[in-house]
Short mmCIF file of all heavy atoms in Angstrom, two decimals:
data_model
loop_
_atom_site.label_atom_id
_atom_site.label_comp_id
_atom_site.label_asym_id
_atom_site.label_seq_id
_atom_site.Cartn_x
_atom_site.Cartn_y
_atom_site.Cartn_z
N THR A 13 179.73 106.30 114.13
CA THR A 13 179.15 107.02 115.26
C THR A 13 178.34 106.08 116.17
O THR A 13 178.57 106.05 117.40
CB THR A 13 178.27 108.18 114.78
OG1 THR A 13 179.06 109.06 113.96
CG2 THR A 13 177.72 108.97 115.96
N PRO A 14 177.41 105.28 115.63
CA PRO A 14 176.72 104.32 116.51
C PRO A 14 177.66 103.29 117.11
O PRO A 14 177.47 102.84 118.25
CB PRO A 14 175.70 103.66 115.57
CG PRO A 14 175.56 104.57 114.42
CD PRO A 14 176.88 105.25 114.26
N ALA A 15 178.70 102.90 116.33
CA ALA A 15 179.65 101.90 116.85
C ALA A 15 180.36 102.43 118.08
O ALA A 15 180.56 101.68 119.07
CB ALA A 15 180.66 101.54 115.76
N LEU A 16 180.74 103.70 118.07
CA LEU A 16 181.41 104.30 119.23
C LEU A 16 180.49 104.30 120.45
O LEU A 16 180.92 103.99 121.57
CB LEU A 16 181.85 105.73 118.89
CG LEU A 16 182.52 106.52 120.03
CD1 LEU A 16 183.76 105.80 120.54
CD2 LEU A 16 182.87 107.93 119.56
N ILE A 17 179.22 104.62 120.23
CA ILE A 17 178.26 104.65 121.34
C ILE A 17 178.05 103.25 121.92
O ILE A 17 178.04 103.07 123.14
CB ILE A 17 176.92 105.26 120.86
CG1 ILE A 17 177.12 106.73 120.46
CG2 ILE A 17 175.85 105.14 121.94
CD1 ILE A 17 175.92 107.36 119.78
N LEU A 18 177.92 102.27 121.03
CA LEU A 18 177.67 100.90 121.49
C LEU A 18 178.90 100.29 122.20
O LEU A 18 178.75 99.48 123.12
CB LEU A 18 177.28 100.02 120.30
CG LEU A 18 175.92 100.34 119.65
CD1 LEU A 18 175.72 99.52 118.38
CD2 LEU A 18 174.77 100.08 120.64
N LEU A 19 180.09 100.67 121.76
CA LEU A 19 181.31 100.12 122.35
C LEU A 19 181.78 100.87 123.59
O LEU A 19 182.72 100.43 124.26
CB LEU A 19 182.44 100.11 121.31
CG LEU A 19 182.33 99.08 120.18
CD1 LEU A 19 183.38 99.34 119.12
CD2 LEU A 19 182.45 97.67 120.74
N ALA A 20 181.15 102.01 123.88
CA ALA A 20 181.59 102.84 125.01
C ALA A 20 181.66 102.08 126.34
O ALA A 20 182.65 102.22 127.08
CB ALA A 20 180.70 104.07 125.14
N PRO A 21 180.66 101.26 126.71
CA PRO A 21 180.76 100.53 127.98
C PRO A 21 181.97 99.60 128.04
O PRO A 21 182.67 99.54 129.06
CB PRO A 21 179.44 99.73 128.04
CG PRO A 21 178.51 100.49 127.16
CD PRO A 21 179.35 101.04 126.06
N TYR A 22 182.22 98.87 126.94
CA TYR A 22 183.37 97.96 126.92
C TYR A 22 184.69 98.72 126.99
O TYR A 22 185.60 98.34 127.74
CB TYR A 22 183.34 97.11 125.64
CG TYR A 22 184.57 96.27 125.43
CD1 TYR A 22 184.78 95.10 126.17
CD2 TYR A 22 185.54 96.65 124.51
CE1 TYR A 22 185.92 94.33 125.99
CE2 TYR A 22 186.68 95.90 124.32
CZ TYR A 22 186.87 94.74 125.06
OH TYR A 22 188.00 93.99 124.88
N LEU A 23 184.80 99.80 126.22
CA LEU A 23 186.04 100.59 126.22
C LEU A 23 186.34 101.14 127.60
O LEU A 23 187.48 101.08 128.07
CB LEU A 23 185.92 101.73 125.20
CG LEU A 23 185.88 101.35 123.71
CD1 LEU A 23 185.55 102.57 122.87
CD2 LEU A 23 187.20 100.74 123.28
N SER A 24 185.32 101.70 128.24
CA SER A 24 185.55 102.38 129.52
C SER A 24 185.88 101.39 130.65
O SER A 24 186.78 101.65 131.45
CB SER A 24 184.33 103.22 129.90
OG SER A 24 183.18 102.40 130.01
N GLN A 25 185.20 100.27 130.69
CA GLN A 25 185.36 99.35 131.81
C GLN A 25 186.52 98.38 131.63
O GLN A 25 187.22 98.05 132.58
CB GLN A 25 184.06 98.56 132.01
CG GLN A 25 182.89 99.43 132.45
CD GLN A 25 181.59 98.65 132.55
OE1 GLN A 25 181.61 97.44 132.65
NE2 GLN A 25 180.46 99.35 132.52
N THR A 26 186.76 97.92 130.40
CA THR A 26 187.75 96.88 130.17
C THR A 26 189.09 97.43 129.72
O THR A 26 190.14 97.13 130.31
CB THR A 26 187.23 95.88 129.12
OG1 THR A 26 185.97 95.38 129.54
CG2 THR A 26 188.21 94.72 128.95
N LEU A 27 189.08 98.27 128.68
CA LEU A 27 190.35 98.73 128.12
C LEU A 27 190.95 99.89 128.91
O LEU A 27 192.15 99.92 129.17
CB LEU A 27 190.15 99.14 126.65
CG LEU A 27 189.77 97.99 125.70
CD1 LEU A 27 189.70 98.50 124.26
CD2 LEU A 27 190.78 96.85 125.79
N PHE A 28 190.12 100.87 129.28
CA PHE A 28 190.66 102.03 129.99
C PHE A 28 190.76 101.79 131.50
O PHE A 28 191.37 102.60 132.21
CB PHE A 28 189.80 103.28 129.74
CG PHE A 28 189.85 103.76 128.32
CD1 PHE A 28 188.68 104.04 127.63
CD2 PHE A 28 191.06 103.93 127.68
CE1 PHE A 28 188.73 104.48 126.33
CE2 PHE A 28 191.11 104.37 126.37
CZ PHE A 28 189.95 104.65 125.69
N THR A 29 190.18 100.71 131.99
CA THR A 29 190.19 100.35 133.42
C THR A 29 189.66 101.47 134.31
O THR A 29 190.01 101.54 135.48
CB THR A 29 191.59 99.93 133.89
OG1 THR A 29 192.47 101.06 133.87
CG2 THR A 29 192.16 98.80 133.03
N ASP A 30 188.85 102.37 133.74
CA ASP A 30 188.24 103.45 134.53
C ASP A 30 186.84 103.70 133.98
O ASP A 30 186.68 104.34 132.94
CB ASP A 30 189.08 104.72 134.46
CG ASP A 30 188.66 105.75 135.51
OD1 ASP A 30 187.48 105.74 135.91
OD2 ASP A 30 189.52 106.56 135.93
N PRO A 31 185.78 103.16 134.64
CA PRO A 31 184.41 103.27 134.12
C PRO A 31 183.95 104.71 133.91
O PRO A 31 183.00 104.95 133.14
CB PRO A 31 183.57 102.59 135.20
CG PRO A 31 184.52 101.71 135.95
CD PRO A 31 185.85 102.41 135.91
N ARG A 32 184.61 105.67 134.55
CA ARG A 32 184.17 107.06 134.42
C ARG A 32 184.40 107.62 133.02
O ARG A 32 183.85 108.67 132.67
CB ARG A 32 184.90 107.92 135.46
CG ARG A 32 184.54 107.58 136.90
CD ARG A 32 185.40 108.36 137.87
NE ARG A 32 186.82 108.06 137.69
CZ ARG A 32 187.80 108.70 138.30
NH1 ARG A 32 187.53 109.69 139.14
NH2 ARG A 32 189.06 108.36 138.08
N THR A 33 185.24 106.96 132.21
CA THR A 33 185.47 107.44 130.83
C THR A 33 184.26 107.22 129.93
O THR A 33 184.23 107.72 128.80
CB THR A 33 186.70 106.74 130.22
OG1 THR A 33 186.50 105.32 130.29
CG2 THR A 33 187.97 107.11 130.95
N TYR A 34 183.25 106.50 130.41
CA TYR A 34 182.05 106.21 129.60
C TYR A 34 181.35 107.51 129.18
O TYR A 34 180.97 107.66 128.00
CB TYR A 34 181.08 105.33 130.40
CG TYR A 34 179.74 105.15 129.76
CD1 TYR A 34 179.57 104.25 128.71
CD2 TYR A 34 178.63 105.89 130.19
CE1 TYR A 34 178.32 104.09 128.10
CE2 TYR A 34 177.39 105.73 129.59
CZ TYR A 34 177.24 104.83 128.55
OH TYR A 34 176.01 104.68 127.95
N TYR A 35 181.20 108.44 130.10
CA TYR A 35 180.43 109.65 129.80
C TYR A 35 181.13 110.56 128.78
O TYR A 35 180.47 111.05 127.84
CB TYR A 35 180.14 110.42 131.10
CG TYR A 35 179.32 109.59 132.06
CD1 TYR A 35 179.92 108.91 133.12
CD2 TYR A 35 177.94 109.46 131.90
CE1 TYR A 35 179.17 108.14 134.00
CE2 TYR A 35 177.18 108.68 132.76
CZ TYR A 35 177.81 108.01 133.81
OH TYR A 35 177.06 107.24 134.67
N PRO A 36 182.44 110.81 128.88
CA PRO A 36 183.10 111.57 127.81
C PRO A 36 183.04 110.86 126.45
O PRO A 36 182.93 111.52 125.41
CB PRO A 36 184.55 111.68 128.30
CG PRO A 36 184.47 111.53 129.78
CD PRO A 36 183.34 110.59 130.02
N LEU A 37 183.10 109.52 126.44
CA LEU A 37 183.01 108.78 125.17
C LEU A 37 181.66 109.01 124.50
O LEU A 37 181.58 109.25 123.28
CB LEU A 37 183.21 107.28 125.43
CG LEU A 37 184.65 106.78 125.58
CD1 LEU A 37 184.65 105.34 126.08
CD2 LEU A 37 185.41 106.89 124.27
N ILE A 38 180.59 108.94 125.27
CA ILE A 38 179.25 109.15 124.72
C ILE A 38 179.09 110.60 124.25
O ILE A 38 178.50 110.88 123.19
CB ILE A 38 178.18 108.82 125.78
CG1 ILE A 38 178.18 107.32 126.08
CG2 ILE A 38 176.80 109.27 125.32
CD1 ILE A 38 177.78 106.45 124.92
N ALA A 39 179.65 111.53 125.01
CA ALA A 39 179.47 112.96 124.70
C ALA A 39 180.14 113.35 123.39
O ALA A 39 179.65 114.24 122.68
CB ALA A 39 180.00 113.81 125.85
N ILE A 40 181.27 112.70 123.05
CA ILE A 40 182.04 113.12 121.87
C ILE A 40 181.50 112.50 120.59
O ILE A 40 181.81 112.96 119.48
CB ILE A 40 183.54 112.77 122.05
CG1 ILE A 40 184.40 113.63 121.12
CG2 ILE A 40 183.79 111.28 121.79
CD1 ILE A 40 184.36 115.10 121.40
N ALA A 41 180.67 111.45 120.67
CA ALA A 41 180.23 110.72 119.49
C ALA A 41 179.57 111.59 118.42
O ALA A 41 179.85 111.42 117.22
CB ALA A 41 179.30 109.58 119.90
N PRO A 42 178.69 112.55 118.76
CA PRO A 42 178.01 113.32 117.71
C PRO A 42 178.92 114.19 116.85
O PRO A 42 178.49 114.67 115.78
CB PRO A 42 177.03 114.21 118.50
CG PRO A 42 176.86 113.53 119.82
CD PRO A 42 178.16 112.87 120.10
N VAL A 43 180.17 114.40 117.28
CA VAL A 43 181.06 115.27 116.50
C VAL A 43 181.59 114.58 115.25
O VAL A 43 182.06 115.24 114.32
CB VAL A 43 182.24 115.76 117.38
CG1 VAL A 43 183.37 114.73 117.43
CG2 VAL A 43 182.79 117.08 116.87
N VAL A 44 181.50 113.25 115.18
CA VAL A 44 182.11 112.50 114.07
C VAL A 44 181.53 112.91 112.71
O VAL A 44 182.29 113.26 111.80
CB VAL A 44 181.99 110.98 114.31
CG1 VAL A 44 182.51 110.21 113.10
CG2 VAL A 44 182.76 110.58 115.56
N PRO A 45 180.20 112.89 112.50
CA PRO A 45 179.68 113.32 111.19
C PRO A 45 179.94 114.79 110.89
O PRO A 45 180.08 115.17 109.72
CB PRO A 45 178.18 113.02 111.28
CG PRO A 45 177.88 112.95 112.75
CD PRO A 45 179.12 112.42 113.38
N ILE A 46 180.00 115.60 111.93
CA ILE A 46 180.26 117.04 111.71
C ILE A 46 181.66 117.24 111.14
O ILE A 46 181.86 117.94 110.14
CB ILE A 46 180.10 117.82 113.04
CG1 ILE A 46 178.67 117.73 113.54
CG2 ILE A 46 180.52 119.27 112.86
CD1 ILE A 46 178.46 118.28 114.94
N ILE A 47 182.65 116.60 111.76
CA ILE A 47 184.03 116.72 111.27
C ILE A 47 184.18 116.06 109.90
O ILE A 47 184.98 116.51 109.07
CB ILE A 47 185.00 116.12 112.30
CG1 ILE A 47 185.03 116.99 113.56
CG2 ILE A 47 186.40 115.98 111.72
CD1 ILE A 47 185.98 116.51 114.63
N ALA A 48 183.41 115.00 109.64
CA ALA A 48 183.48 114.31 108.35
C ALA A 48 183.17 115.28 107.20
O ALA A 48 183.88 115.31 106.19
CB ALA A 48 182.50 113.14 108.33
N VAL A 49 182.14 116.09 107.36
CA VAL A 49 181.75 117.04 106.32
C VAL A 49 182.71 118.23 106.28
O VAL A 49 183.14 118.66 105.20
CB VAL A 49 180.30 117.53 106.54
CG1 VAL A 49 179.91 118.58 105.50
CG2 VAL A 49 179.33 116.35 106.49
N SER A 50 183.07 118.77 107.44
CA SER A 50 183.94 119.96 107.46
C SER A 50 185.32 119.65 106.89
O SER A 50 185.94 120.52 106.25
CB SER A 50 184.06 120.50 108.90
OG SER A 50 184.69 119.57 109.74
N SER A 51 185.83 118.44 107.07
CA SER A 51 187.14 118.10 106.54
C SER A 51 187.13 118.08 105.01
O SER A 51 188.13 118.45 104.38
CB SER A 51 187.60 116.74 107.08
OG SER A 51 186.75 115.70 106.63
N VAL A 52 186.02 117.66 104.42
CA VAL A 52 185.90 117.68 102.96
C VAL A 52 185.92 119.12 102.45
O VAL A 52 186.61 119.44 101.46
CB VAL A 52 184.62 116.96 102.51
CG1 VAL A 52 184.38 117.15 101.01
CG2 VAL A 52 184.70 115.48 102.84
N LEU A 53 185.19 120.00 103.11
CA LEU A 53 185.15 121.41 102.69
C LEU A 53 186.51 122.08 102.87
O LEU A 53 186.94 122.88 102.02
CB LEU A 53 184.08 122.15 103.48
CG LEU A 53 182.63 121.72 103.21
CD1 LEU A 53 181.66 122.49 104.10
CD2 LEU A 53 182.27 121.90 101.74
N ARG A 54 187.22 121.74 103.96
CA ARG A 54 188.56 122.30 104.13
C ARG A 54 189.50 121.82 103.03
O ARG A 54 190.32 122.59 102.51
CB ARG A 54 189.11 121.92 105.52
CG ARG A 54 188.48 122.68 106.67
CD ARG A 54 189.28 122.51 107.95
NE ARG A 54 188.69 123.29 109.03
CZ ARG A 54 187.90 122.80 109.98
NH1 ARG A 54 187.61 121.49 109.99
NH2 ARG A 54 187.39 123.58 110.91
N GLY A 55 189.41 120.53 102.69
CA GLY A 55 190.23 120.01 101.60
C GLY A 55 189.95 120.71 100.29
O GLY A 55 190.87 120.99 99.50
N TYR A 56 188.67 121.04 100.04
CA TYR A 56 188.28 121.76 98.83
C TYR A 56 188.95 123.14 98.76
O TYR A 56 189.57 123.51 97.76
CB TYR A 56 186.77 121.90 98.79
CG TYR A 56 186.25 122.93 97.82
CD1 TYR A 56 186.21 122.67 96.45
CD2 TYR A 56 185.81 124.18 98.26
CE1 TYR A 56 185.74 123.62 95.56
CE2 TYR A 56 185.34 125.13 97.38
CZ TYR A 56 185.30 124.85 96.03
OH TYR A 56 184.84 125.79 95.15
N PHE A 57 188.84 123.91 99.86
CA PHE A 57 189.42 125.25 99.87
C PHE A 57 190.96 125.19 99.79
O PHE A 57 191.58 126.02 99.12
CB PHE A 57 188.99 126.00 101.13
CG PHE A 57 187.56 126.47 101.09
CD1 PHE A 57 186.63 126.02 102.01
CD2 PHE A 57 187.14 127.37 100.13
CE1 PHE A 57 185.31 126.44 101.98
CE2 PHE A 57 185.82 127.81 100.09
CZ PHE A 57 184.90 127.34 101.01
N GLN A 58 191.58 124.23 100.47
CA GLN A 58 193.04 124.12 100.43
C GLN A 58 193.52 123.73 99.04
O GLN A 58 194.56 124.20 98.58
CB GLN A 58 193.51 123.10 101.47
CG GLN A 58 193.35 123.60 102.90
CD GLN A 58 193.40 122.49 103.93
OE1 GLN A 58 193.66 121.33 103.61
NE2 GLN A 58 193.11 122.82 105.18
N GLY A 59 192.74 122.87 98.35
CA GLY A 59 193.10 122.50 96.99
C GLY A 59 193.08 123.69 96.04
O GLY A 59 193.88 123.77 95.10
#
């Protein structure tokens, strides 16, 4: 999660060639730990 936030400027300006992608990149970062836990619980119920 912190890695995504720290790399957002490089990703948006250099790789995506569109600096405007910086804001969506920052906005989506907090979802990573949430999905990490929910995926484990889904795997439990599916098992």
Side-chain angles (χ1 to χ4, degrees):
T13 303
L16 177 58
I17 295 171
L18 292 173
L19 288 171
Y22 172 76
L23 291 172
S24 60
Q25 294 176 20
T26 305
L27 295 184
F28 293 131
T29 68
D30 193 332
R32 295 174 300 172
T33 55
Y34 171 79
Y35 299 99
L37 279 170
I38 293 295
I40 201 64
V43 83
V44 175
I46 297 171
I47 291 181
V49 177
S50 64
S51 64
V52 171
L53 294 178
R54 286 194 178 100
Y56 164 77
F57 285 118
Q58 289 162 6

